[in-house]
Amino acid sequence: MKLVFATNNQHKLEELRQIVGPGHQILGLSDIGCNADIPETGSTLQENALQKAMYVYQNYGYDCFADDTGLEVDALGGEPGIYSARYAQVCGGIGSGHDSKANMALLLKKLEGKENRKARFRTVIALVKGGEPRFFEGIVEGEILTEPHGEGGFGYDPVFRPEGWSKTFAEAAPSEKNAVSHRGRATNKLINYLSNA
């Protein structure tokens, strides 16, 4: 089965291809010649994911899925949430967006002196197949450390330690992370649906 994953993020695309395995052919936006900066103007992860998947379906005619992921930190009232990828730019006036180091630095600065460091990663996948939308959600609970650890992963992985783990996502092997991650959980629900559809 051929599906488009509405992303230009090569880290995400590679991670998702590893989770899905060889049973499905996953194309990225560049594979279908889509270089548009697809708008994400929703107020929730679900709205943003659907907006991206619908854009590809309506403009390119492919069945498509898109995800939106947010890191939600309790002590910050759920920030960065839908602004996770552009946190430093939107909430700190720093950088040009999608700057992981600046995003992490702002997060750690805002958490200075706070004891409650509970957080969760939440991924919502919107699948548009035959024009019909369906949603799949994955959540992983954890906490934000006081400084980055590890070189792997991407985004906030170096400061996020999942519940019950002694290391961050950035210190884990990709297969180890994918087995419990928010994106892995949402993707497994998607795969189960596609396998039984």
Side-chain angles (χ1 to χ4, degrees):
M1 179 180 289
K2 191 182 285 189
L3 274 176
V4 174
F5 180 22
T7 187
N8 279 315
N9 182 324
Q10 288 306 308
H11 292 295
K12 266 190 189 183
L13 189 57
E14 193 48 48
E15 186 174 275
L16 198 114
R17 284 176 173 154
Q18 287 173 3
I19 296 167
V20 170
H24 301 279
Q25 187 184 358
I26 307 296
L27 305 174
L29 292 176
S30 59
D31 297 319
I32 62 166
C34 175
N35 299 308
D37 191 11
I38 302 173
E40 290 179 61
T41 55
S43 59
T44 65
L45 298 174
Q46 187 166 314
E47 285 174 12
N48 282 338
L50 181 59
Q51 195 172 14
K52 291 185 279 189
M54 246 338 160
Y55 180 93
V56 171
Y57 181 78
Q58 290 171 343
N59 290 282
Y60 292 86
Y62 286 95
D63 285 341
C64 177
F65 66 94
D67 81 323
D68 201 22
T69 295
L71 174 67
E72 300 169 347
V73 180
D74 288 357
L76 301 179
E79 278 187 19
I82 60 168
Y83 302 115
S84 293
R86 306 179 305 280
Y87 191 41
Q89 181 190 22
V90 174
C91 300
I94 308 160
S96 57
H98 299 277
D99 182 338
S100 295
K101 285 189 175 160
N103 290 339
M104 269 192 291
L106 179 61
L107 178 69
L108 294 178
K109 189 171 189 301
K110 286 194 168 203
L111 280 173
E112 275 175 10
K114 297 197 188 307
E115 281 186 33
N116 178 7
R117 302 184 78 87
K118 283 189 178 169
R120 73 207 45 80
F121 268 125
R122 199 152 63 85
T123 290
V124 175
I125 292 177
L127 168 69
V128 176
K129 194 165 181 282
E132 292 295 313
R134 284 191 169 72
F135 299 95
F136 310 90
E137 184 178 59
I139 298 172
V140 61
E141 299 284 343
E143 64 179 340
I144 304 299
L145 302 185
T146 54
E147 59 184 28
H149 294 271
E151 300 296 321
F154 60 96
Y156 297 91
D157 285 355
V159 294
F160 183 83
R161 182 167 61 200
E163 220 169 59
W165 280 34
S166 58
K167 58 187 172 185
T168 66
F169 269 160
E171 294 173 293
S175 58
E176 204 178 2
K177 175 190 171 184
N178 293 341
V180 302
S181 78
H182 44 295
R183 190 169 290 107
R185 289 172 177 177
T187 303
N188 285 330
K189 290 177 184 176
L190 168 69
I191 295 165
N192 287 340
Y193 169 76
L194 291 171
S195 301
N196 296 310

